[in-house]
Amino acid sequence: MVEKLSKNFFLYLSKNKVLNKGAKRWGLKLGAAQVVAGVTVDSVMKVVKVLNSKGLVCTVDHLGEFVLHREEANHSMKVCIDTLEAISATGVNCNLSLKLTQLGLDIDRQLCIDHMRAILDVAKRTNNFVRIDMEDYSHYHQTLEILAELRKTYDNVGTVLQAYLHSGKKDLESLRGVPLRLVKGAYKESPKVAFQDKERIDENYLEMIKQHLLTGSYTAIATHDHRIIEQVKRFCKKWNIPKSQFEFQMLYGFRTELQEQIAKEGYKMRVYVPFGHDWYGYFMRRLAERPQNVSFALKGFFSKK
């Protein structure tokens, strides 16, 4: 019960626009610096280089929430393009993750699509891949529709499916062959569209992972749950699924020892590295996911004092 209340509390805070605006003035305090790699493209490239040196590959995400003006969406597009150019110039092993709302989805759908095409053109020229992060359920169907439209022209774009959604396995079937990141889900959703029980979500998550792998589709398994990771390893060995067909993904700043261990075992281990001034919503969702993250954040905060 306490864990559920804690999760709901931080998810509520993550959607507070006043606090989000204030957070930009605070800077990376309250422990956020442990999980957000600075605010500039240069700062995140430095972090990626260090992670690469440890055998870890990366995906970087310029954080953004509540984008309601064209100028903000245009700026987000430019930062995404600058990030791809920086990845190419520095030679780091890294791709790009982004959110459609940050590129103007809530302003104008075509504006968002135009921004995506501009970004994907640069990604194609620099031989890179772009992952569209999945957001809350209100943007779910739009995201899948836009992905389908983009995939008609670009093969270097994929998205994310969330295992807590009732429609997860059905939607997965329609995305056969598309490189997907599979996650449990980090937003608070209605029981009408999402499972609420942790065991049921875990069960559905594993079923979706196996389903996508068995179709021969490239699969990114994004979890910090070592039990699920071990089950995936055993499943892939049993069905002779090559390591080149899947990867594990974890968030920057969490379970770093496990990340390095997985890489040493010869698996591709990708670290999701966020950066930018608009870190507040991301940070609150991380605190909501696990109660342990709260003490982790406070420890980081006081260690800077």
Side-chain angles (χ1 to χ4, degrees), residues 106-153:
D106 290 337
I107 303 167
D108 180 83
R109 180 188 176 107
Q110 191 57 50
L111 173 70
C112 176
I113 293 173
D114 291 344
H115 283 163
M116 275 301 305
R117 291 189 184 280
I119 292 166
L120 289 170
D121 283 339
V122 175
K124 188 173 183 178
R125 173 170 57 78
T126 57
N127 193 31
N128 214 326
F129 177 82
V130 177
R131 176 91 58 191
I132 300 173
D133 286 340
M134 189 58 74
E135 302 180 64
D136 62 9
Y137 192 72
S138 66
H139 299 99
Y140 181 71
H141 295 291
Q142 292 180 84
T143 300
L144 294 184
E145 290 166 4
I146 290 174
L147 174 71
E149 183 171 342
L150 294 171
R151 290 283 300 181
K152 293 175 183 177
T153 308

Side-chain angles (χ1 to χ4, degrees), residues 77-88:
M77 177 196 66
K78 185 179 183 304
V79 174
C80 287
I81 288 175
D82 289 347
T83 302
L84 286 168
E85 296 286 13
I87 291 170
S88 179

Side-chain angles (χ1 to χ4, degrees), residues 14 57 87 92 121 126 130-131 154 217 230 237 297:
S14 73
V57 298
I87 291 170
V92 293
D121 283 339
T126 57
V130 177
R131 176 91 58 191
Y154 303 94
S217 306
E230 289 305 314
K237 288 178 181 177

Side-chain angles (χ1 to χ4, degrees), residues 161 168-176 180 208 211-212:
L161 284 188
K169 285 195 288 186
K170 177 177 175 291
D171 293 326
L172 186 65
E173 181 62 31
S174 67
L175 291 167
R176 180 179 298 202
L180 295 177
M208 288 176 64
Q211 178 182 333
H212 205 53

Side-chain angles (χ1 to χ4, degrees), residues 22-247:
K24 294 178 182 179
R25 295 195 299 269
W26 302 333
L28 291 172
K29 298 179 180 178
L30 304 178
Q34 293 192 99
V35 298
V36 177
V39 297
T40 66
V41 173
D42 286 344
S43 67
V44 76
M45 288 299 104
K46 290 176 182 177
V47 169
V48 169
K49 285 181 181 178
V50 172
L51 292 170
N52 281 177
S53 72
K54 298 178 180 179
L56 305 167
V57 298
C58 298
T59 184
V60 296
D61 176 19
H62 178 241
L63 297 170
E65 305 271 338
F66 311 119
V67 174
L68 298 174
H69 302 285
R70 285 177 177 266
E71 294 77 11
E72 294 175 296
N74 292 340
H75 174 70
S76 292
M77 177 196 66
K78 185 179 183 304
V79 174
C80 287
I81 288 175
D82 289 347
T83 302
L84 286 168
E85 296 286 13
I87 291 170
S88 179
T90 56
V92 293
N93 193 333
C94 181
N95 57 39
L96 177 70
S97 293
L98 53 77
K99 292 178 175 60
L100 294 183
T101 55
Q102 192 178 4
L103 298 176
L105 182 58
D106 290 337
I107 303 167
D108 180 83
R109 180 188 176 107
Q110 191 57 50
L111 173 70
C112 176
I113 293 173
D114 291 344
H115 283 163
M116 275 301 305
R117 291 189 184 280
I119 292 166
L120 289 170
D121 283 339
V122 175
K124 188 173 183 178
R125 173 170 57 78
T126 57
N127 193 31
N128 214 326
F129 177 82
V130 177
R131 176 91 58 191
I132 300 173
D133 286 340
M134 189 58 74
E135 302 180 64
D136 62 9
Y137 192 72
S138 66
H139 299 99
Y140 181 71
H141 295 291
Q142 292 180 84
T143 300
L144 294 184
E145 290 166 4
I146 290 174
L147 174 71
E149 183 171 342
L150 294 171
R151 290 283 300 181
K152 293 175 183 177
T153 308
Y154 303 94
D155 61 1
N156 62 333
V157 60
T159 191
V160 180
L161 284 188
Q162 302 150 315
Y164 65 180
L165 294 182
H166 297 159
S167 64
K169 285 195 288 186
K170 177 177 175 291
D171 293 326
L172 186 65
E173 181 62 31
S174 67
L175 291 167
R176 180 179 298 202
V178 177
L180 295 177
R181 176 195 296 147
L182 301 181
V183 302
K184 294 182 184 180
Y187 293 87
K188 181 176 173 56
E189 302 293 359
S190 163
K192 293 180 180 179
V193 300
F195 299 115
Q196 306 295 307
D197 179 69
K198 182 183 181 302
E199 290 185 5
R200 183 67 185 90
I201 294 170
D202 286 356
E203 177 186 350
N204 203 49
Y205 186 45
L206 266 172
E207 290 175 359
M208 288 176 64
I209 292 169
K210 294 174 181 179
Q211 178 182 333
H212 205 53
L213 285 168
L214 288 175
T215 65
S217 306
Y218 193 83
T219 308
I221 300 104
T223 181
H224 299 101
D225 190 330
H226 59 277
R227 294 165 298 182
I228 287 180
I229 291 170
E230 289 305 314
Q231 289 184 67
V232 170
K233 289 178 183 177
R234 290 195 296 269
F235 177 80
C236 290
K237 288 178 181 177
K238 177 182 177 180
W239 291 94
N240 295 314
I241 296 170
K243 290 180 179 178
S244 59
Q245 193 193 314
F246 66 96
E247 64 184 52

Side-chain angles (χ1 to χ4, degrees), residues 9-25:
F9 173 68
F10 284 108
L11 286 175
Y12 169 78
L13 291 181
S14 73
K15 296 181 179 180
N16 189 298
K17 295 182 181 182
V18 175
L19 292 177
N20 183 73
K21 186 176 181 180
K24 294 178 182 179
R25 295 195 299 269

